[in-house]
């Protein structure tokens, strides 16, 4: 359409042959020459408008330049009537179309109204001219058709831009999802691996068999973490609340942390289980990495999950600024829940995830 559309528009200039023939048939003289030059100039100016402003990426011309171009075309139409007579008013059709391409708003239709008045009135007051009222129909049809065409092009362009923006946003959201999931997965897995590797190092001389078992767990965790990362990238990984509770219990036992972890998830509705699973993972990671706790208590109801510890973890402001809690907060908002961090009755910090008092 960048090529074919403007070319089809320029073909309209063939209708200027009517005033051209009328001027050509006039007696030789300065008026005939001026009329022929004016008609040719009008054709050239119309072609310029179509080629530069009528395509799918055409834009509105600034008002001063628009006024200059349209005034010039009106002058050319007036000059063309010196020899072509009333036939020269055919050029007003091209002035109206040019106005629509240049202005690209409903004000351009006022030019069609002006042209229609001129076509009806002028032949009746100029001696020797014949009325050409049927030209008004051409002006109206051409103006309405071209105005509708430009609006269609504009809407299609806006739709294309909107689709491009939606595609970009979708890519960005997918990148955020992958980054958030990989952070949550690796943060937890590497923390547990670190704890187990440290424990195995301490048990090498005291209990070689236990140390060997811990290292076997480290290998299994590393393989599981790799599988989780691959699953996250391909969007096939599933997180289960029961699995995260079992993993948290095992991680706390390996770290020597006394843990009170629920043994059932029946009271949690299905729509909250994935969120609570990510919350258990994040709470476990924070306790093992930051809190230096000796006791952890996980309590869970149908709408609330709480992870309390007795450690001396980082300040609440630091926790809120972390990537893990930021990602957990985003997940919570998606299901109408909220995340809060505060001092714990046990003396450390509390991670709270609840639907109570939350707003979407």
């Amino acid at each position: 359409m960048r090529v074919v559309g403007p070319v089809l528009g320029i073909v309209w200039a063939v209708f200027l042959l009517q005033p051209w023939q009328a001027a050509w048939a006039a007696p030789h003289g300065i008026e005939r020459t001026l009329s022929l030059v004016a008609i040719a100039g009008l054709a050239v100016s119309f072609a310029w408008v179509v080629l530069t402003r009528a395509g799918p990426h055409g834009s509105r011309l600034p008002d001063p330049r628009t006024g200059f171009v349209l005034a010039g075309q009106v002058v050319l139409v007036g000059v063309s009537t010196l020899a072509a007579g009333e036939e020269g008013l055919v050029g007003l059709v091209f002035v109206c179309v040019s106005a629509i391409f240049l202005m690209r708003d409903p004000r351009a239709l006022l030019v069609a109204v002006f042209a229609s008045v001129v076509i009806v009135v002028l032949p009746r007051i100029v001696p020797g001219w014949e009325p050409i009222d049927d030209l008004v129909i051409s002006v109206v049809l051409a103006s309405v058709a071209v105005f509708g065409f430009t609006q269609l092009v504009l809407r299609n362009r806006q739709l294309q831009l909107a689709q491009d923006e939606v595609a970009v946003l979708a890519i960005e959201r997918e990148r955020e999802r992958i980054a958030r999931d990989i952070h949550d997965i690796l943060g937890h897995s590497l923390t547990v691996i670190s704890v187990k590797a440290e424990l195995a190092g301490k048990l090498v001389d005291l209990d070689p068999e236990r140390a060997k078992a811990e290292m076997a767990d480290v290998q299994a965790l590393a393989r599981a973490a790799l599988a989780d990362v691959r699953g996250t990238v391909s969007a096939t990984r599933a997180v289960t609340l029961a699995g995260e509770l079992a993993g948290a219990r095992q991680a706390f036992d390996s770290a020597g942390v006394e843990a009170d972890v629920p043994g059932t998830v029946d009271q949690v509705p299905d729509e909250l289980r994935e969120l609570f699973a990510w919350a258990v993972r994040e709470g476990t990671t924070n306790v093992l990495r930051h809190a230096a706790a000796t006791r952890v208590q996980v309590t869970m109801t149908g709408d609330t999950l709480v992870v309390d510890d007795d450690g001396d973890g980082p300040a609440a402001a630091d926790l809120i600024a972390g990537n893990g809690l930021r990602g957990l907060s985003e997940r919570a908002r998606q299901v109408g829940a909220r995340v809060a961090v505060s001092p714990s009755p046990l003396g450390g910090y509390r991670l709270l995830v609840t639907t109570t008092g939350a707003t979407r």
Side-chain angles (χ1 to χ4, degrees):
M1 286 302 297
R2 293 182 181 180
V3 177
V4 176
V7 168
L8 292 177
I10 293 174
V11 169
W12 279 25
V14 71
F15 292 102
L16 288 174
L17 289 177
Q18 182 179 349
W20 178 275
Q21 291 174 346
W24 187 268
H28 288 269
I30 187 65
E31 292 183 351
R32 176 178 181 272
T33 302
L34 290 175
S35 293
L36 293 175
V37 171
I39 294 170
L42 181 60
V44 171
S45 67
F46 177 74
W48 175 82
V49 170
V50 172
L51 288 174
T52 60
R53 302 293 161 179
H57 298 284
S59 59
R60 176 181 174 181
L61 198 67
D63 288 344
R65 295 179 60 187
T66 296
F68 175 78
V69 173
L70 295 180
Q73 289 185 340
V74 170
V75 170
L76 291 174
V77 171
V79 174
S80 70
T81 62
L82 294 177
E86 68 275 11
E87 298 293 341
L89 297 180
V90 171
L92 291 176
V93 177
F94 298 88
V95 176
C96 295
V97 173
S98 297
I100 293 172
F101 283 140
L102 294 174
M103 300 173 69
R104 291 185 176 270
D105 63 43
R107 293 181 304 164
L109 297 177
L110 295 176
V111 178
V113 175
F114 164 76
S116 299
V117 172
V118 171
I119 292 169
V120 171
V121 174
L122 197 60
R124 288 176 168 82
I125 63 177
V126 176
W129 284 19
E130 296 291 335
I132 49 172
D133 295 343
D134 56 341
L135 185 58
V136 174
I137 299 177
S138 299
V139 168
V140 172
L141 291 179
S143 299
V144 172
V146 174
F147 182 76
F149 168 77
T150 57
Q151 293 302 303
L152 178 62
V153 170
L154 177 61
R155 297 296 180 269
N156 286 341
R157 180 61 177 161
Q158 291 173 339
L159 177 61
Q160 182 63 48
L161 292 175
Q163 290 175 338
D164 293 343
E165 184 176 356
V166 168
V168 171
L169 291 176
I171 292 173
E172 291 179 352
R173 290 189 63 181
E174 183 64 11
R175 286 175 177 170
E176 291 176 357
R177 180 195 70 80
I178 292 175
R180 183 177 64 238
D181 288 356
I182 288 179
H183 170 273
D184 293 344
I185 292 167
L186 291 183
H188 175 79
S189 298
L190 294 179
T191 298
V192 178
I193 288 173
S194 176
V195 171
K196 284 185 169 291
E198 182 179 356
L199 177 61
K202 294 177 180 179
L203 294 175
V204 168
D205 297 327
L206 300 176
D207 190 347
E209 292 300 322
R210 174 74 184 280
K212 185 182 298 183
E214 293 294 339
M215 290 307 300
D217 288 343
V218 168
Q219 292 178 343
L221 284 169
R223 287 193 293 268
L226 180 60
D228 286 343
V229 170
R230 289 172 176 169
T232 298
V233 173
S234 61
T236 59
R237 181 180 180 276
V239 177
T240 64
L241 180 55
E244 293 302 324
L245 289 173
R249 187 180 298 107
Q250 181 184 20
F252 289 140
D253 289 344
S254 298
V257 177
E258 180 186 350
D260 181 7
V261 180
T264 179
V265 299
D266 295 340
Q267 72 273 31
V268 180
D270 292 340
E271 62 270 17
L272 292 179
R273 289 190 180 184
E274 183 177 356
L275 172 63
F276 282 8
W278 285 112
V280 170
R281 176 179 284 263
E282 179 63 22
T284 303
T285 302
N286 286 335
V287 169
L288 296 178
R289 182 181 297 175
H290 305 297
T294 60
R295 182 186 174 198
V296 176
Q297 182 176 11
V298 180
T299 56
M300 190 166 57
T301 65
D303 59 4
T304 302
L305 173 75
V306 180
V307 180
D308 287 310
D309 67 70
D310 64 351
D312 54 358
D318 295 334
L319 282 173
I320 294 173
N323 289 328
L325 284 179
R326 188 181 302 115
L328 183 61
S329 298
E330 292 174 359
R331 298 179 194 275
R333 282 194 296 270
Q334 293 174 0
V335 295
R338 63 183 179 90
V339 176
V341 178
S342 62
S344 168
L346 298 182
Y349 285 91
R350 163 174 287 186
L351 171 64
L352 170 70
V353 182
T354 181
T355 59
T356 304
T359 58
R360 285 185 179 270

